[in-house]
Amino acid sequence: MTNTNVLLTGVTGILGRHVLYELLYLYASGRKMGALGVVIRTRSGQTGLERLKTIIAHRYRPAYLKGYAVNDLLKHITLIEAGIEELNAAHLATLENFDNLHVIHTAAETDLSNTSTANEKAFTHNYLATKHLLAWCTPKLYKFIFISSAFSIGHQEGVITDQYIQFDAAGDPVLNEEIKNRNPYERFKIKMEFELIKYCRQHGKAWQIVRPSSICGRMLDEPLYYTPTFNVFYLFGKFLYACSLSNILRMGEKIRIAANPAGSMNIVPVDYVAKAIVRSFENDAIGQLNAVSSRHVPVAYLFQSMCNYAGIKCDLTACEPPPGSMSVLEKQYYETIGPMFSSYLSTPVHQFDTVRLRGIMSDVVEADVVKGFKDLYEFAYENEFRSL
């Protein structure tokens, strides 16, 4: 068995910690040999080691890790206590046993709004930090696995393949100028994809891009439905919950939401994405891969389900209702999260091609997000949409 040496970023985040769980199980069970490194900064009075221990000992860690003691799992990890933008030569020297390094870069700021603040966060934390990480690890790098977003394709209709980045006759990447991104998060994701391929080609390094869609809680591994943070579509439920506490929401009322009534959203369980990453990152035949669900969730079902849980009704409209006709609840929605949601809910009808994904996940039963959505959402609601 050859050694698999991995450096993982973003382990305190939604996806990163689940990739960590998957890798830890493989190393602890002897299914993989090699070294596993993680990058964690000190934050909120906790050292990187304390934060790492909290993740590994978490009450919602997957059941497949229950048979392993925390200290035994920690033995498989080399910890670099730093922010990605702080990584330097001294940090790289700690990876002396990490030859032919595979870097799995999951760390990112996820802000889907279209504001100057969101632009600054995406530029600094997603784009510049990734470029710094890439240059820093180059001396030891074999392959850089960049976790992008299935939504970096922007407004797109029809069948969406894995090949967001095309190549010219010379094999150089070509960025499609017709991509219409909805926000800075998407724009810097696709820009980094393009620059990653160019950089790796110039330096003789392997690369891979994996693009999850909207991530929800676990639906494969017990305990089910867990996610450390409730964001993206969960934010609408969080909004309704907050409005119910402040008496903005009145039982039985109706909220009009600007959306494509025939539209849908691709929602994928976090454990499914983590398994797809771990199964694909050593496969050099896979350059670009959309880690998504085969079936979309209809927007009408999604929002009606969340509204029903809050005791109100939902009406999908072609455009935002006139300001003078808005209820207090509708005004609050369009002044806060509405602008972000509208750009996604108006997306043309589309479908992801999942042939390659299902090829590597053929023995994994794909969760039915529509069927399980009520249980998924109930878990979030009962936990008051708090970070767990």
Side-chain angles (χ1 to χ4, degrees):
M1 184 183 296
T2 59
N3 281 0
T4 301
N5 302 317
V6 178
L7 181 69
L8 176 63
T9 71
V11 297
T12 61
I14 297 171
L15 178 57
R17 75 176 59 202
H18 282 88
V19 175
L20 175 64
Y21 290 147
E22 294 283 341
L23 288 172
L24 270 179
Y25 176 69
L26 293 175
Y27 285 110
S29 64
R31 288 170 171 81
K32 278 192 183 297
M33 302 297 294
L36 173 61
V38 299
V39 179
I40 308 180
R41 71 171 78 239
T42 298
R43 176 171 285 179
S44 302
Q46 281 191 310
T47 66
L49 179 58
E50 289 170 336
R51 297 178 76 194
L52 178 61
K53 287 181 177 179
T54 297
I55 293 166
I56 296 175
H58 201 283
R59 64 189 177 112
Y60 284 118
R61 70 175 181 166
Y64 58 71
L65 287 179
K66 294 297 185 182
Y68 299 94
V70 172
N71 287 337
D72 289 337
L73 292 173
L74 284 170
K75 292 176 183 177
H76 295 279
I77 300 175
T78 297
L79 171 65
I80 296 178
E81 295 199 54
I84 291 174
E85 70 283 356
E86 300 166 346
L87 293 170
N88 56 36
H91 295 128
L92 190 64
T94 65
L95 302 180
E96 59 181 350
N97 298 322
F98 286 67
D99 294 326
N100 295 317
L101 179 65
H102 290 74
V103 173
I104 304 178
H105 181 39
T106 75
E109 286 273 357
T110 305
D111 186 339
L112 302 181
S113 59
N114 202 354
T115 64
S116 58
T117 299
N119 186 80
E120 179 62 26
K121 285 195 292 186
F123 176 68
T124 302
H125 300 295
N126 295 355
Y127 177 68
L128 291 183
T130 302
K131 292 187 69 172
H132 177 76
L133 173 66
L134 181 58
W136 170 80
C137 70
T138 295
K140 287 190 168 292
L141 182 66
Y142 169 72
K143 187 175 188 179
F144 195 96
I145 300 92
F146 178 53
I147 310 305
S148 185
S149 169
F151 300 120
S152 66
I153 197 69
H155 275 279
Q156 184 83 17
E157 63 181 337
V159 177
I160 300 175
T161 70
D162 297 316
Q163 308 305 312
Y164 289 17
I165 306 293
Q166 302 292 325
F167 298 87
D168 61 20
D172 293 318
V174 178
L175 188 58
N176 186 350
E177 295 182 357
E178 295 181 1
I179 291 178
K180 298 178 180 178
N181 295 128
R182 288 161 282 207
N183 49 55
Y185 173 79
E186 292 183 353
R187 186 166 62 253
F188 283 112
K189 280 290 191 183
I190 195 70
K191 179 177 175 63
M192 192 62 238
E193 289 185 24
F194 176 72
E195 294 191 15
L196 167 66
I197 298 172
K198 284 186 63 177
Y199 182 94
C200 288
R201 280 177 55 78
Q202 291 168 359
H203 291 81
K205 306 297 182 180
W207 57 270
Q208 186 178 84
I209 298 165
V210 180
R211 306 186 189 95
S213 55
S214 180
I215 292 177
C216 68
R218 287 201 297 255
M219 299 188 74
L220 300 176
D221 298 320
E222 298 279 355
L224 297 176
Y225 314 126
Y226 167 73
T227 174
T229 305
F230 300 99
N231 62 8
V232 191
F233 71 89
Y234 284 113
L235 292 178
F236 182 70
K238 189 174 185 178
F239 164 79
L240 293 179
Y241 183 79
C243 287
S244 68
L245 296 179
S246 59
N247 297 318
I248 292 175
L249 182 151
R250 294 192 296 273
M251 298 296 287
E253 73 172 307
K254 180 183 290 185
I255 180 171
R256 292 169 292 178
I257 298 175
N260 176 2
S264 60
M265 182 176 292
N266 195 283
I267 298 175
V268 62
V270 64
D271 45 354
Y272 186 80
V273 178
K275 293 178 193 299
I277 291 170
V278 169
R279 288 180 177 221
S280 65
F281 80 90
E282 292 180 274
N283 187 338
D284 289 345
I286 299 176
Q288 304 175 64
L289 181 70
N290 292 336
V292 300
S293 291
S294 297
R295 299 177 297 276
H296 285 49
V297 179
V299 166
Y301 175 81
L302 182 68
F303 280 81
Q304 285 169 3
S305 297
M306 291 188 281
C307 286
N308 287 343
Y309 204 92
I312 64 172
K313 300 176 182 178
C314 172
D315 186 16
L316 301 186
T317 61
C319 57
E320 182 178 321
S325 71
M326 288 186 188
S327 66
V328 175
L329 178 62
E330 289 171 336
K331 287 180 181 178
Q332 188 72 10
Y333 171 75
Y334 286 104
E335 287 174 0
T336 54
I337 63 173
M340 178 191 73
F341 273 110
S342 295
S343 63
Y344 284 91
L345 301 182
S346 62
T347 299
V349 175
H350 61 280
Q351 181 66 41
F352 290 98
D353 179 353
T354 58
V355 172
R356 169 161 266 181
L357 175 66
R358 288 307 301 161
I360 65 172
M361 300 285 282
S362 59
D363 60 323
V364 178
V365 177
E366 188 176 5
D368 188 333
V369 179
V370 172
K371 184 177 180 180
F373 183 77
K374 290 184 179 179
D375 291 329
L376 190 77
Y377 186 72
E378 183 178 15
F379 177 86
Y381 195 92
E382 289 181 347
N383 284 283
E384 301 174 345
F385 302 93
R386 293 177 286 106
S387 295
L388 299 176

PDB file of all heavy atoms in Angstrom, residues 98-111:
ATOM      1  N   PHE A  98       5.818  14.641   4.310  1.00  0.00           N
ATOM      2  CA  PHE A  98       4.672  14.768   3.408  1.00  0.00           C
ATOM      3  C   PHE A  98       5.113  14.916   1.950  1.00  0.00           C
ATOM      4  O   PHE A  98       4.765  15.876   1.280  1.00  0.00           O
ATOM      5  CB  PHE A  98       3.824  15.978   3.794  1.00  0.00           C
ATOM      6  CG  PHE A  98       3.004  15.799   5.041  1.00  0.00           C
ATOM      7  CD1 PHE A  98       3.604  15.668   6.279  1.00  0.00           C
ATOM      8  CD2 PHE A  98       1.615  15.769   4.982  1.00  0.00           C
ATOM      9  CE1 PHE A  98       2.851  15.523   7.429  1.00  0.00           C
ATOM     10  CE2 PHE A  98       0.849  15.623   6.125  1.00  0.00           C
ATOM     11  CZ  PHE A  98       1.466  15.490   7.356  1.00  0.00           C
ATOM     12  N   ASP A  99       5.870  13.981   1.452  1.00  0.00           N
ATOM     13  CA  ASP A  99       6.241  14.028   0.036  1.00  0.00           C
ATOM     14  C   ASP A  99       5.044  13.672  -0.829  1.00  0.00           C
ATOM     15  O   ASP A  99       4.110  13.004  -0.391  1.00  0.00           O
ATOM     16  CB  ASP A  99       7.399  13.056  -0.231  1.00  0.00           C
ATOM     17  CG  ASP A  99       8.679  13.490   0.476  1.00  0.00           C
ATOM     18  OD1 ASP A  99       8.884  14.712   0.588  1.00  0.00           O
ATOM     19  OD2 ASP A  99       9.441  12.613   0.920  1.00  0.00           O
ATOM     20  N   ASN A 100       5.076  14.108  -2.095  1.00  0.00           N
ATOM     21  CA  ASN A 100       3.951  13.872  -3.015  1.00  0.00           C
ATOM     22  C   ASN A 100       2.628  14.283  -2.372  1.00  0.00           C
ATOM     23  O   ASN A 100       1.657  13.511  -2.332  1.00  0.00           O
ATOM     24  CB  ASN A 100       3.911  12.408  -3.451  1.00  0.00           C
ATOM     25  CG  ASN A 100       5.126  12.019  -4.260  1.00  0.00           C
ATOM     26  OD1 ASN A 100       5.560  12.775  -5.140  1.00  0.00           O
ATOM     27  ND2 ASN A 100       5.695  10.857  -3.964  1.00  0.00           N
ATOM     28  N   LEU A 101       2.616  15.496  -1.897  1.00  0.00           N
ATOM     29  CA  LEU A 101       1.508  15.995  -1.089  1.00  0.00           C
ATOM     30  C   LEU A 101       0.239  16.252  -1.903  1.00  0.00           C
ATOM     31  O   LEU A 101       0.270  16.843  -2.975  1.00  0.00           O
ATOM     32  CB  LEU A 101       1.951  17.308  -0.420  1.00  0.00           C
ATOM     33  CG  LEU A 101       0.932  18.023   0.468  1.00  0.00           C
ATOM     34  CD1 LEU A 101       0.590  17.174   1.678  1.00  0.00           C
ATOM     35  CD2 LEU A 101       1.494  19.379   0.907  1.00  0.00           C
ATOM     36  N   HIS A 102      -0.886  15.786  -1.360  1.00  0.00           N
ATOM     37  CA  HIS A 102      -2.209  16.122  -1.885  1.00  0.00           C
ATOM     38  C   HIS A 102      -2.818  17.175  -0.953  1.00  0.00           C
ATOM     39  O   HIS A 102      -3.034  16.898   0.229  1.00  0.00           O
ATOM     40  CB  HIS A 102      -3.122  14.894  -1.913  1.00  0.00           C
ATOM     41  CG  HIS A 102      -2.752  13.868  -2.930  1.00  0.00           C
ATOM     42  ND1 HIS A 102      -1.661  13.032  -2.780  1.00  0.00           N
ATOM     43  CD2 HIS A 102      -3.340  13.534  -4.113  1.00  0.00           C
ATOM     44  CE1 HIS A 102      -1.587  12.222  -3.821  1.00  0.00           C
ATOM     45  NE2 HIS A 102      -2.583  12.506  -4.651  1.00  0.00           N
ATOM     46  N   VAL A 103      -3.066  18.347  -1.468  1.00  0.00           N
ATOM     47  CA  VAL A 103      -3.708  19.403  -0.680  1.00  0.00           C
ATOM     48  C   VAL A 103      -5.189  19.438  -1.037  1.00  0.00           C
ATOM     49  O   VAL A 103      -5.550  19.609  -2.213  1.00  0.00           O
ATOM     50  CB  VAL A 103      -3.075  20.783  -0.961  1.00  0.00           C
ATOM     51  CG1 VAL A 103      -3.868  21.886  -0.252  1.00  0.00           C
ATOM     52  CG2 VAL A 103      -1.625  20.797  -0.500  1.00  0.00           C
ATOM     53  N   ILE A 104      -6.052  19.257  -0.034  1.00  0.00           N
ATOM     54  CA  ILE A 104      -7.503  19.363  -0.223  1.00  0.00           C
ATOM     55  C   ILE A 104      -7.939  20.665   0.429  1.00  0.00           C
ATOM     56  O   ILE A 104      -7.962  20.790   1.654  1.00  0.00           O
ATOM     57  CB  ILE A 104      -8.259  18.167   0.379  1.00  0.00           C
ATOM     58  CG1 ILE A 104      -7.741  16.852  -0.198  1.00  0.00           C
ATOM     59  CG2 ILE A 104      -9.756  18.313   0.124  1.00  0.00           C
ATOM     60  CD1 ILE A 104      -8.410  15.618   0.387  1.00  0.00           C
ATOM     61  N   HIS A 105      -8.264  21.634  -0.399  1.00  0.00           N
ATOM     62  CA  HIS A 105      -8.538  22.991   0.086  1.00  0.00           C
ATOM     63  C   HIS A 105     -10.047  23.242   0.130  1.00  0.00           C
ATOM     64  O   HIS A 105     -10.670  23.592  -0.870  1.00  0.00           O
ATOM     65  CB  HIS A 105      -7.850  23.995  -0.826  1.00  0.00           C
ATOM     66  CG  HIS A 105      -8.029  25.429  -0.433  1.00  0.00           C
ATOM     67  ND1 HIS A 105      -8.011  25.861   0.874  1.00  0.00           N
ATOM     68  CD2 HIS A 105      -8.254  26.544  -1.194  1.00  0.00           C
ATOM     69  CE1 HIS A 105      -8.201  27.170   0.920  1.00  0.00           C
ATOM     70  NE2 HIS A 105      -8.364  27.598  -0.328  1.00  0.00           N
ATOM     71  N   THR A 106     -10.626  23.053   1.328  1.00  0.00           N
ATOM     72  CA  THR A 106     -12.066  23.278   1.496  1.00  0.00           C
ATOM     73  C   THR A 106     -12.383  24.624   2.116  1.00  0.00           C
ATOM     74  O   THR A 106     -13.534  25.061   2.085  1.00  0.00           O
ATOM     75  CB  THR A 106     -12.711  22.184   2.372  1.00  0.00           C
ATOM     76  OG1 THR A 106     -12.371  22.403   3.743  1.00  0.00           O
ATOM     77  CG2 THR A 106     -12.286  20.797   1.940  1.00  0.00           C
ATOM     78  N   ALA A 107     -11.390  25.284   2.703  1.00  0.00           N
ATOM     79  CA  ALA A 107     -11.648  26.541   3.424  1.00  0.00           C
ATOM     80  C   ALA A 107     -12.163  27.623   2.487  1.00  0.00           C
ATOM     81  O   ALA A 107     -11.625  27.824   1.398  1.00  0.00           O
ATOM     82  CB  ALA A 107     -10.369  27.019   4.110  1.00  0.00           C
ATOM     83  N   ALA A 108     -13.217  28.308   2.912  1.00  0.00           N
ATOM     84  CA  ALA A 108     -13.779  29.405   2.116  1.00  0.00           C
ATOM     85  C   ALA A 108     -14.794  30.172   2.938  1.00  0.00           C
ATOM     86  O   ALA A 108     -15.406  29.638   3.866  1.00  0.00           O
ATOM     87  CB  ALA A 108     -14.455  28.876   0.856  1.00  0.00           C
ATOM     88  N   GLU A 109     -14.944  31.440   2.598  1.00  0.00           N
ATOM     89  CA  GLU A 109     -16.023  32.264   3.142  1.00  0.00           C
ATOM     90  C   GLU A 109     -17.216  32.115   2.202  1.00  0.00           C
ATOM     91  O   GLU A 109     -17.095  32.332   0.999  1.00  0.00           O
ATOM     92  CB  GLU A 109     -15.599  33.733   3.201  1.00  0.00           C
ATOM     93  CG  GLU A 109     -14.608  34.054   4.299  1.00  0.00           C
ATOM     94  CD  GLU A 109     -15.288  34.378   5.616  1.00  0.00           C
ATOM     95  OE1 GLU A 109     -16.541  34.416   5.654  1.00  0.00           O
ATOM     96  OE2 GLU A 109     -14.567  34.598   6.599  1.00  0.00           O
ATOM     97  N   THR A 110     -18.370  31.734   2.745  1.00  0.00           N
ATOM     98  CA  THR A 110     -19.559  31.572   1.914  1.00  0.00           C
ATOM     99  C   THR A 110     -20.538  32.703   2.198  1.00  0.00           C
ATOM    100  O   THR A 110     -21.314  32.660   3.147  1.00  0.00           O
ATOM    101  CB  THR A 110     -20.242  30.214   2.169  1.00  0.00           C
ATOM    102  OG1 THR A 110     -19.284  29.173   1.974  1.00  0.00           O
ATOM    103  CG2 THR A 110     -21.407  30.009   1.214  1.00  0.00           C
ATOM    104  N   ASP A 111     -20.451  33.729   1.394  1.00  0.00           N
ATOM    105  CA  ASP A 111     -21.367  34.867   1.472  1.00  0.00           C
ATOM    106  C   ASP A 111     -21.916  35.080   0.068  1.00  0.00           C
ATOM    107  O   ASP A 111     -21.201  35.498  -0.833  1.00  0.00           O
ATOM    108  CB  ASP A 111     -20.635  36.113   1.967  1.00  0.00           C
ATOM    109  CG  ASP A 111     -21.572  37.298   2.206  1.00  0.00           C
ATOM    110  OD1 ASP A 111     -22.690  37.312   1.635  1.00  0.00           O
ATOM    111  OD2 ASP A 111     -21.190  38.217   2.953  1.00  0.00           O
TER     112      ASP A 111
END
